[in-house]
Amino acid sequence: MNLSRDPDVPDLSLSPGALQGLRVIEMGQLIAGPFAGKTLGEFGADVVKIEPPGAGDPLRNWRLLQDGTSVWWQVQSRNKRSVALDLRSEEGQDIARRLIAEADVLIENFRPGTLEGWGMGYEALSERNPGLVMLRISGYGQTGPYRDLPGFGAIGEAMGGLRHLTGEPDRVPVRCGISIGDTLAALHGTIGVLTALYHRKVNGGRGQVIDVALNEAVFNVMESLVPEYSAFGAVREAAGSALPGIAPSNAYRCADGYVLVAGNGDSIFRRLMQTIGRDDLGADPALANNAGRVARVAELDQAIEAWTLPQPVATVLGTLGEARVPAGKVYTAKDIAEDPHYRARDMLLRQHTRDGHEIEVPGVVPKLMGTPGTVRSSAPGLGDDTDAVLGELGFTAAGIAALRERKVVA
């Protein structure tokens, strides 16, 4: 599926996945739970996704659709098998229990208490499967006074402190452009799953619950936000494109766009000043360290932009690259798709959808040299694998047909 590959690099795309043999049941929908399932699936886990008959996961219909199916779905659900199962019926719940009894991992992102209401809380499930690792992603976690409140990624970003820092000073807080709260929760959940599996295998431990709250996943990456408040009473505020307390590091206007320049290392700063023809600033002892530069950040930003503004982005990047000053263009989707570095590192793959289309999709991250992640199968249609998965549980064709007739499965 790779669009480009260095012929001198061994093709490891057919290597056994690092998680081969791991069985995952995914009950999540939309972003957080399914992103965790996607990540495990890319490294070889057998991910069985349970979806409600009829509509399936709402993500199938989010954003831009191709022949009625979201292209986002094609990425989020690759390497998964779809079982259309009515979890609100007793028969459906019983089938789910049987699937979970043979699984290593269960992923769910329902509101807390939903599974318990179906008789599928962790205590009940672990009686049949003591080794079960259960990832639970929710707005505010499984405990605490907010546990029953509905929570989406956007709310987690706000409560986690991120939204307060996005945007320009004294302007309305803005989102970062993607559902970062959901994805951060998924990545923290994946770390938790792998940690619990290691404990189970190496230390002989039982399975356990990983409780991930959207707001806590965001809060965990908020750097020194609370320590600064605790020590100094300082509340970090929005700073636009600048990196507060680090200078110079900002976005600067060019003749045809913007360029990001990170000239905040001491030696990098001197090279940057020499490059823009401001040796006076580079040699100024008051600017030899970050504290001094922060005190005069407005002056430095003005000097840098006076140099970048008359020039096109490409010229600025070429000059700074030769001077070994970190700088970058603000990429659009078009820029990414046309960038040779993305292609050289297999970060743009050509994926065939089950309805006959071919689209470019992101590659797999992180890159394991011995057991790399792969795209083994395209995203399934709703219930594509119902018969196969139930057959593995011992259901006969007649039994599956009877379940379908009763609308337990589809």
Side-chain angles (χ1 to χ4, degrees):
M1 292 188 179
N2 294 34
L3 287 173
S4 61
R5 179 176 293 282
D6 187 336
D8 296 324
V9 176
D11 185 354
L12 298 176
S13 61
L14 299 179
S15 301
L19 301 179
Q20 186 174 13
L22 190 75
R23 171 64 70 90
V24 178
I25 304 299
E26 180 190 299
M27 287 184 175
Q29 61 181 13
L30 294 176
I31 306 172
F35 193 96
K38 164 188 173 291
T39 304
L40 296 172
E42 286 172 343
F43 291 95
D46 175 18
V47 181
V48 175
K49 180 177 181 65
I50 296 178
E51 301 182 74
D57 188 328
L59 190 71
R60 290 179 176 274
N61 300 303
W62 273 28
R63 292 191 57 78
L64 301 185
L65 309 184
Q66 189 175 53
D67 285 351
T69 301
S70 168
V71 291
W72 188 355
W73 170 262
Q74 304 296 349
V75 179
Q76 187 84 314
S77 298
R78 61 195 187 190
N79 297 326
K80 296 180 184 180
R81 297 196 286 167
S82 171
V83 173
L85 179 64
D86 182 7
L87 290 174
R88 288 176 171 77
S89 70
E90 290 188 9
E91 283 186 289
Q93 293 165 12
D94 183 62
I95 292 171
R97 291 188 193 95
R98 291 176 61 179
L99 285 170
I100 295 166
E102 298 182 4
D104 298 286
V105 178
L106 170 63
I107 298 173
E108 66 98 0
N109 61 343
F110 297 116
R111 189 182 297 188
T114 299
L115 286 185
E116 283 77 5
W118 295 341
M120 297 171 63
Y122 186 75
E123 288 187 7
L125 295 175
S126 63
E127 286 183 6
R128 298 179 64 177
N129 184 356
L132 180 66
V133 171
M134 185 178 187
L135 170 57
R136 314 194 75 171
I137 301 178
S138 61
Y140 305 100
Q142 302 298 312
T143 61
Y146 300 160
R147 74 179 291 270
D148 295 322
L149 295 177
F152 270 18
I155 310 305
E157 293 162 26
M159 187 177 176
L162 178 62
R163 287 292 181 103
H164 185 69
L165 300 184
T166 54
E168 298 291 335
D170 300 319
R171 300 288 297 273
V172 62
V174 299
R175 72 189 302 266
C176 72
I178 59 171
S179 302
I180 191 69
D182 291 290
T183 307
L184 285 172
L187 293 174
H188 281 86
T190 303
I191 293 169
V193 166
L194 297 176
T195 302
L197 289 172
Y198 180 88
H199 171 68
R200 191 185 73 177
K201 179 177 177 63
V202 175
N203 298 320
R206 292 167 56 92
Q208 57 184 298
V209 173
I210 295 99
D211 178 4
V212 176
L214 290 167
N215 69 293
E216 292 171 356
V218 173
F219 176 61
N220 193 41
V221 300
M222 293 306 294
E223 301 175 353
S224 58
L225 194 70
V226 165
E228 289 172 359
Y229 177 74
S230 175
F232 309 108
V235 176
R236 193 185 302 188
E237 301 291 346
S241 61
L243 186 59
I246 311 288
S249 183
N250 212 331
Y252 302 94
R253 290 178 295 167
C254 298
D256 58 350
Y258 288 86
V259 66
L260 299 181
V261 180
N264 43 284
D266 294 347
S267 60
I268 296 173
F269 171 73
R270 290 192 294 272
R271 292 198 300 273
L272 173 60
M273 293 300 102
Q274 182 179 35
T275 301
I276 70 172
R278 293 301 304 268
D279 288 309
D280 58 316
L281 295 175
D284 188 336
L287 300 175
N289 56 50
N290 183 66
R293 294 192 293 271
V294 169
R296 293 167 60 181
V297 64
E299 176 188 356
L300 296 178
D301 282 345
Q302 184 177 23
I304 295 168
E305 191 162 275
W307 177 77
T308 63
L309 190 56
Q311 305 181 74
V313 169
T315 301
V316 171
L317 291 179
T319 303
L320 293 180
E322 291 179 1
R324 294 179 292 116
V325 173
K329 176 182 177 179
V330 180
Y331 273 38
T332 66
K334 182 176 183 292
D335 295 320
I336 291 172
E338 296 175 352
D339 189 282
H341 190 76
Y342 273 88
R343 296 194 182 278
R345 288 184 53 79
D346 289 335
M347 282 309 301
L348 294 168
L349 307 181
R350 192 171 295 280
Q351 183 172 311
H352 297 270
T353 68
R354 298 199 185 188
D355 51 10
H357 294 285
E358 190 175 71
I359 59 173
E360 285 189 343
V361 296
V364 179
V365 179
K367 297 191 177 301
L368 277 64
M369 295 297 101
T371 53
T374 59
V375 180
R376 303 179 307 283
S377 64
S378 55
L382 179 60
D384 272 0
D385 308 287
T386 298
D387 289 23
V389 172
L390 295 189
E392 293 167 6
L393 283 181
F395 284 87
T396 64
I400 296 171
L403 290 170
R404 189 166 280 118
E405 181 70 22
R406 294 193 296 275
K407 301 187 183 307
V408 177
V409 302

